[in-house]
């Protein structure tokens, strides 16, 4: 597709000047985009390539999006959002509503030449220099035009400017077809850190970098999280992103869960406070950016996930895989998992009131449907969505399935396959119909409208055309509301120059870096070895990473390299490869990693495939695991007992433990400072006694770690979870119960419990420590 941001400013200015008087309108051009600022009214942006007209009504400018030469209610920015959304929904065909219910598969900009995010341009793979990276791919044009899709999930981008130009191309296409409904582009969290990157005060970057959600939680300060939302929302909007597929507010009561690091930890009240701050920060516009009720041009819809909580997967297995489809509640704490939603994301202090969208998790909430007694995935469960979410808690925002929920299961241990848990034997149409009847509005990862149209016909047969049309319009209104509120109908366009100045600007980079400093947790400081001041000489051992696979199943190559940017270390200390010359050692490790809890090799050896997930480095044998699993059953299995009792598992990074042990031997009693990047709770007893100091981080820049070690910054973070005394404790805890483990006690007598942390004076005992222990 040709680049549709060609500069034709001369023609544009002439056209605009013939439409409006200078007294009532100010206007300017960005390439072929005209921006009209109504005096005392909305800013309207449109493209001369889209074919729409501008209507002059009461000396104000409005877009004639359906090209009928009159001002419809949905085109009138003076009217309330709900009135506009209902008018537009009533004008939409069932095909158009079905398209609105789609949420695209992952879109890389530009599309990759091969693999999961692949796409083509005029039938050919992307080739740098031959295709403009901001052009729309063939697949994007097809799902916009043929399937009426308007919700697009954006993943990697070549640069902020490319993203802005791509957004404009997408919006020009959307504006010129059908009823002119703009694209609502979205993103998973994209403000993580590049650990080796150097932070320079006053310098900008590609995008502001913040600690993980666990790191934000470790500050125990919702104001930090709200500031993140305020910053990230402005960066998102400058990239053309109007919906965030976040925050992830599941309470991570199961310490082995692979998605623990995306949460705010295991405490429901801390998670609720962080959820409220996150959603308020993302959704609230102020000043000139506000349109009404806190919504506006800086607002990003927050899609809070995962209802009703996915943090209690049996034995820590994750529901992206058939092997982890069941969330279990042996402690009877199902309702506790709702707290971050009902007391956080659905009860905002800001005038936007509640998160505008919610995503149910893949899990089957085992035996929690007290009404219909169904054990199906949450998105399919009428009790979970309609009775609880909609009726009991009064939620009328968008309910969007997680990605691939309606797809076909292909294997128990594949990340990419469909995840139609409990509905595996049903057809695609039946699955889509089940979601709609349960109270859902949207289908994540689905570019194809046909199954929704088939589901519509099923509804007509069961309930009649009038009833089913009303049901479809109900979802359309919810979906359109989120597009209207953020101003996309008036002006979905970006100035790439503004994008370049906003995304990663120095003020935002500084805010993210300060949050990284606040998020680190000092667990041990024997003999006050920290801060390590002065130009000391340090030994940094290399880290060996064996070949393996990550959570997505993608291969990880074998490496032997320094686990930290040595150039940054050298700005603080002299670095030596000889431990005998060193004053102290800096050892950088990661928490243990042992896989997804399922191993095909076990099946080949006659087992059921289920193996332990370990939080210790050494080989672990699950002698204390339950002999019979709580939940079970899958069309690909001939049994229901998923127990792994007595089986042994190895971690892929046992060499991290070896590195600490070997360094201790080489240093011969001199200080060893262990810096741990934590994704999950872990068993510290394997090496804690060998460490003089232990500093925990949640995905921060190397420089932020060194600022704390050197004393340039003082640690203030607190643990947002417990650190277990042993794997036996992990096996005996209940997957759904928060803070129910005996914690590790170190050589200094400190227990690594929820809320523990140290500063230079010792154990932190401020008001944060007790605030969330409800």
């Amino acid at each position: 597709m040709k680049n549709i941001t060609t500069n034709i400013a001369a023609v544009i200015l002439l056209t605009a000047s013939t439409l409006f008087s200078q007294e009532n309108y100010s206007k300017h051009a960005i390439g072929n985009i005209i921006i009209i600022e109504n005096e005392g009214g909305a800013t309207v942006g449109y493209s001369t390539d889209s074919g729409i007209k501008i209507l002059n009504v009461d000396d104000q400018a409005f877009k004639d999006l359906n090209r009928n030469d009159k001002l419809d209610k949905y085109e009138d920015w003076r009217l309330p959002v709900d009135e506009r959304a209902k008018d537009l929904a009533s004008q939409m065909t069932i095909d158009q509503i079905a398209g609105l219910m789609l949420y695209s598969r992952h879109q890389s900009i530009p599309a990759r030449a091969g693999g999961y995010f692949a796409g083509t341009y005029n039938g050919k793979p992307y080739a740098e220099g031959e295709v403009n990276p901001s052009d729309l791919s063939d697949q994007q044009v097809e799902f916009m035009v043929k399937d009426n899709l308007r919700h697009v999930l954006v993943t990697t981008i070549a640069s902020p400017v490319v993203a802005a130009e791509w957004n404009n191309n997408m919006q020009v296409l959307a504006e010129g077809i059908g009823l002119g409904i703009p694209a609502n582009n979205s993103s998973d969290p994209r403000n993580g850190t590049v650990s080796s990157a150097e932070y320079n005060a006053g310098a900008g970057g590609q995008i502001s970098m913040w600690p993980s959600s666990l790191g934000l939680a470790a500050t125990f300060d919702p104001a930090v999280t709200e500031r993140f939302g305020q910053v990230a929302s402005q960066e998102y909007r400058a990239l053309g992103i109007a919906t965030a597929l976040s925050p992830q507010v599941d309470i991570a009561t199961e310490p082995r869960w692979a998605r623990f690091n995306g949460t705010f930890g295991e405490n429901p009240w801390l998670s609720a406070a962080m959820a409220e701050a996150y959603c308020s920060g993302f959704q609230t516009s102020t000043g000139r950016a506000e349109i009404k009720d806190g919504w506006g041009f800086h607002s990003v819809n927050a899609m809070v996930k995962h209802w009703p909580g996915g943090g209690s997967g049996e034995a820590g297995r994750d529901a992206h895989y058939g092997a982890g489809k069941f969330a279990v509640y042996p402690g009877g704490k199902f309702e506790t998992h709702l707290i971050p939603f009902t007391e956080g994301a659905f009860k905002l202090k800001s005038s936007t009131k509640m998160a505008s969208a919610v995503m149910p998790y893949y899990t089957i909430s085992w035996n929690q449907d007290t009404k219909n007694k169904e054990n199906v995935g949450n998105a399919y469960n009428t009790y979970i969505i309609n009775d609880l979410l909609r009726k009991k808690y009064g939620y009328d925002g968008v309910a969007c399935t997680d990605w691939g929920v309606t797809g076909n299961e292909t294997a128990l241990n594949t990340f990419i396959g469909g995840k139609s848990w409990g509905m595996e034997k049903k057809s695609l149409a039946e699955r889509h119909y089940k979601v709609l009847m349960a109270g859902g509005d949207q289908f994540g990862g689905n570019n194809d409208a046909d199954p929704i149209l088939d589901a519509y016909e099923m509804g007509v047969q069961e309930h009649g055309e009038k009833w089913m049309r009303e049901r479809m319009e109900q979802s359309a209104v919810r979906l359109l509301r989120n597009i209207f509120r953020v101003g996309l109908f008036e002006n979905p366009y970006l100035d790439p120059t503004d994008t370049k100045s906003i995304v990663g600007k120095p003020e935002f980079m500084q805010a993210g870096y300060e949050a990284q400093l606040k998020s680190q947790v000092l667990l041990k400081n024997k003999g006050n070895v920290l801060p390590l001041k002065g130009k000391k000489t340090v030994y940094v051992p290399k880290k060996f990473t064996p070949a393996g696979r990550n959570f997505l199943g993608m291969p990880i190559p074998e490496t032997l390299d320094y686990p930290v940017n040595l150039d940054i270390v050298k700005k603080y200390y002299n670095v030596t490869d000889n431990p005998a010359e060193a004053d102290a050692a800096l050892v950088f490790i990661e928490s243990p990693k042992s896989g997804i809890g399922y191993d095909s090799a076990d099946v080949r050896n006659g087992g059921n495939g289920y193996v332990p997930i370990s939080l210790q480095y050494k080989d672990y044998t699950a002698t204390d695991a339950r002999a019979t699993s709580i939940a079970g059953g899958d069309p690909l299995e001939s049994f229901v007992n998923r127990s792994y009792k007595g089986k042994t598992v190895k971690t892929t990074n046992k060499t991290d433990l070896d590195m600490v042990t070997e360094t201790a031997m080489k240093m011969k009693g001199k200080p060893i400072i262990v810096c741990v990047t934590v994704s999950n709770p872990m068993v510290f007893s394997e090496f804690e006694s060998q460490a003089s100091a232990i500093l925990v981080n949640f995905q921060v820049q190397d420089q932020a770690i060194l600022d704390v070690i050197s004393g340039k910054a003082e640690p203030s973070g607190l643990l947002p979870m417990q650190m277990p005394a042993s794997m036996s404790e992990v096996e005996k805890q209940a997957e759904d119960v928060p803070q129910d483990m005996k914690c590790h006690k170190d050589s200094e007598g400190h227990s690594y419990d929820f809320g523990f942390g140290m500063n230079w004076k010792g154990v932190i005992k401020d008001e944060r420590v007790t605030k969330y222990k409800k």
Side-chain angles (χ1 to χ4, degrees):
M1 185 177 180
K2 70 184 183 69
N3 187 336
I4 49 182
T5 56
T6 307
N7 189 347
I8 52 172
V11 176
I12 293 165
L13 287 172
L14 177 62
T15 303
S17 64
T18 62
L19 287 172
F20 310 115
S21 64
Q22 294 293 329
E23 291 77 20
N24 297 319
Y25 307 95
S26 63
K27 54 190 177 294
H28 65 276
I30 307 167
N32 63 336
I33 308 300
I34 297 290
I35 306 297
I36 303 167
E37 295 186 12
N38 286 296
E39 186 176 332
T43 296
V44 173
Y46 74 103
S47 169
T48 57
D49 283 346
S50 70
I52 70 161
K53 298 177 182 178
I54 293 295
L55 302 173
N56 188 335
V57 178
D58 299 331
D59 293 326
Q60 301 278 20
F62 302 87
K63 295 161 74 169
D64 185 14
L65 291 167
N66 61 3
R67 296 171 292 282
N68 66 352
D69 296 321
K70 68 177 184 179
L71 182 63
D72 292 86
K73 287 183 178 180
Y74 87 88
E75 297 165 336
D76 190 345
W77 42 258
R78 298 169 299 185
L79 296 178
V81 162
D82 275 12
E83 187 174 350
R84 298 178 71 187
K86 289 175 183 177
D87 176 64
L88 178 53
S90 71
Q91 295 191 36
M92 296 174 72
T93 66
I94 292 300
D95 283 23
Q96 289 170 330
I97 294 176
L100 195 65
M101 290 177 165
L102 301 174
Y103 222 127
S104 82
R105 300 186 185 102
H106 300 67
Q107 302 297 309
S108 181
I109 305 171
R112 296 182 182 179
Y116 188 49
F117 304 130
T120 58
Y121 298 84
N122 294 320
K124 299 178 181 179
Y126 175 78
E128 190 172 355
E130 297 180 15
V131 178
N132 190 321
S134 63
D135 284 358
L136 303 184
S137 71
D138 299 334
Q139 292 73 25
Q140 290 161 359
V141 174
E142 180 179 6
F143 66 55
M144 291 285 289
V145 177
K146 173 181 173 291
D147 291 291
N148 297 294
L149 185 149
R150 289 298 180 275
H151 293 81
V152 184
L153 174 55
V154 176
T155 56
T156 58
I157 58 174
S159 71
V161 168
V162 167
E165 293 172 345
W166 177 87
N167 169 79
N168 289 353
N169 290 337
M170 177 66 76
Q171 301 296 1
V172 170
L173 175 62
E175 187 174 80
I177 57 179
L179 296 168
I181 299 171
N184 183 355
N185 302 322
S186 69
S187 175
D188 280 309
R190 59 190 317 115
N191 289 81
T193 63
V194 177
S195 61
S196 61
E198 184 174 0
Y199 169 72
N200 293 302
Q206 284 286 306
I207 195 166
S208 64
M209 293 190 286
W210 297 72
S212 69
S213 292
L214 266 184
L216 292 174
T219 68
F220 274 58
D221 185 357
V224 173
T225 300
E226 184 169 10
R227 179 58 179 154
F228 163 67
Q230 293 166 346
V231 168
S233 63
Q234 292 182 58
E235 293 182 314
Y236 276 34
R237 292 304 300 267
L239 294 169
I241 295 166
T243 294
L245 302 187
S246 58
Q248 183 186 341
V249 304
D250 318 71
I251 53 171
T253 50
E254 170 45 63
R256 294 163 289 190
W257 188 31
R259 301 197 68 180
F260 198 111
N261 68 327
T263 74
F264 294 121
E266 64 178 303
N267 182 280
W269 296 103
L270 176 61
S271 295
M274 293 297 172
E276 189 285 322
Y278 191 110
C279 295
S280 288
F282 261 92
Q283 292 189 164
T284 307
S285 293
T286 58
R288 294 184 62 187
E290 183 180 7
I291 298 172
K292 191 175 182 181
D293 298 329
W295 293 99
F297 290 104
H298 286 171
S299 298
V300 172
N301 293 289
M303 185 180 289
V304 62
K305 57 188 185 183
H306 304 90
W307 178 265
S312 63
E314 185 162 16
R317 296 185 295 268
D318 181 68
H320 277 86
Y321 303 92
K325 65 169 67 173
F326 300 110
V328 295
Y329 300 87
K333 296 294 184 181
F334 175 79
E335 291 189 357
T336 300
H337 286 252
L338 305 182
I339 289 173
F341 299 92
T342 61
E343 303 303 314
F346 298 167
K347 195 178 287 187
L348 304 185
K349 297 175 183 177
S350 75
S351 50
T352 63
K353 296 183 180 179
M354 62 173 57
S356 65
V358 65
M359 181 188 294
Y361 203 40
Y362 298 116
T363 45
I364 294 172
S365 298
W366 187 253
N367 289 344
Q368 297 308 303
D369 181 350
T370 58
K371 181 179 180 181
N372 305 307
K373 311 300 181 183
E374 280 194 302
N375 277 315
V376 293
N378 293 314
Y380 296 113
N381 195 302
T382 300
Y383 173 75
I384 296 291
I385 304 301
N386 193 51
D387 294 334
L388 283 185
L389 179 67
R390 299 293 190 198
K391 293 180 180 178
K392 182 174 181 178
Y393 295 109
Y395 185 78
D396 193 38
V398 169
C400 176
T401 75
D402 212 328
W403 265 233
V405 159
T406 57
N408 293 321
E409 181 183 23
T410 57
L412 288 158
N413 60 345
T414 180
F415 182 87
I416 302 300
K419 308 168 203 312
S420 51
W421 311 145
M423 296 287 290
E424 296 93 340
K425 296 181 180 180
K426 301 296 184 180
S427 68
L428 279 176
E430 287 172 320
R431 293 171 193 161
H432 284 76
Y433 185 58
K434 179 70 167 169
V435 169
L436 291 175
M437 293 304 100
D441 303 302
Q442 198 167 30
F443 300 87
N446 187 353
N447 294 5
D448 182 6
D450 287 344
I452 301 177
L453 296 174
D454 292 340
Y456 170 76
E457 293 299 332
M458 293 176 66
V460 171
Q461 290 296 316
E462 182 175 355
H463 298 287
E465 186 172 1
K466 181 178 182 295
W467 187 95
M468 195 59 194
R469 169 78 200 194
E470 290 175 352
R471 172 65 191 89
M472 298 288 279
E473 285 192 28
Q474 181 185 44
S475 286
V477 169
R478 290 170 180 153
L479 291 160
L480 291 168
R481 185 187 292 145
N482 290 352
I483 306 177
F484 278 113
R485 288 194 292 206
V486 297
L488 289 176
F489 273 91
E490 276 57 70
N491 182 25
Y493 298 105
L494 301 171
D495 184 338
T497 303
D498 290 341
T499 295
K500 189 174 182 179
S501 66
I502 292 170
V503 181
K505 69 179 181 180
E507 174 191 343
F508 293 170
M509 299 299 289
Q510 181 179 349
Y513 190 76
E514 289 175 354
Q516 292 180 49
L517 295 175
K518 292 178 180 178
S519 71
Q520 295 175 73
V521 182
L522 181 63
L523 294 183
K524 186 176 182 180
N525 194 18
K526 186 177 181 179
N528 294 321
V529 64
L530 294 181
L532 191 66
K533 293 185 175 181
K535 197 71 172 179
K536 298 286 196 304
T537 299
V538 298
Y539 168 64
V540 181
K542 287 185 176 181
K543 176 184 172 80
F544 173 73
T545 303
R549 292 186 179 274
N550 65 12
F551 177 67
L552 302 177
M554 300 173 68
I556 300 172
E558 177 183 303
T559 59
L560 177 63
D561 203 356
Y562 290 105
V564 63
N565 186 335
L566 277 192
D567 289 335
I568 292 178
V569 178
K570 290 175 182 177
K571 293 188 176 184
Y572 295 81
Y573 306 110
N574 298 313
V575 178
T576 179
D577 286 330
N578 184 359
E581 299 174 353
D583 298 305
L586 304 182
V587 185
F588 294 83
I589 62 175
E590 297 178 73
S591 50
K593 305 178 188 305
S594 70
I596 67 169
Y598 188 89
D599 188 353
S600 298
D602 183 68
V603 177
R604 292 192 294 270
N605 292 328
N608 64 359
Y610 294 90
V611 296
I613 297 174
S614 179
L615 301 181
Q616 67 180 41
Y617 294 106
K618 293 177 182 177
D619 294 357
Y620 166 63
T621 300
T623 56
D624 292 319
R626 58 176 66 105
T628 303
S629 64
I630 294 174
D634 190 281
L636 300 181
E637 295 176 329
S638 60
F639 55 87
V640 294
N641 187 5
R642 295 182 163 197
S643 175
Y644 51 86
K645 185 177 177 65
K647 293 181 183 179
T648 300
V649 69
K650 298 178 181 292
T651 52
T652 58
N653 62 333
K654 179 181 178 295
T655 50
D656 281 16
L657 175 63
D658 297 337
M659 185 163 54
V660 176
T661 302
E662 292 168 5
T663 300
M665 293 174 61
K666 293 175 181 178
M667 291 300 290
K668 298 179 179 179
K670 290 185 287 186
I672 299 174
I673 300 161
V674 180
C675 307
V676 192
T677 299
V678 167
S679 299
N680 287 78
M682 57 186 287
V683 178
F684 275 91
S685 59
E686 293 180 295
F687 68 87
E688 174 268 314
S689 62
Q690 298 172 310
S692 307
I694 299 175
L695 180 64
V696 162
N697 78 85
F698 304 96
Q699 281 102 38
V700 303
Q701 292 169 257
D702 296 341
Q703 185 174 344
I705 298 172
L706 287 158
D707 272 353
V708 172
I709 291 173
S710 66
K712 190 174 180 180
E714 184 172 10
S716 61
L718 305 170
L719 285 178
M721 71 284 221
Q722 294 181 314
M723 295 298 179
S726 66
M727 277 304 298
S728 178
E729 282 294 321
V730 174
E731 293 290 2
K732 293 175 182 177
Q733 57 89 39
E735 285 93 337
D736 62 318
V737 179
Q739 299 163 224
D740 62 339
M741 293 187 294
K742 179 182 177 182
C743 298
H744 174 70
K745 182 173 286 189
D746 69 14
S747 62
E748 309 306 292
H750 299 140
S751 179
Y752 294 177
D753 203 346
F754 173 83
F756 174 75
M758 302 178 68
N759 56 25
W760 302 144
K761 296 178 181 178
V763 177
I764 297 172
K765 295 181 180 179
D766 58 28
E767 67 280 357
R768 298 175 301 158
V769 177
T770 57
K771 184 173 183 179
Y772 299 106
K773 288 190 175 182
K774 294 185 180 180

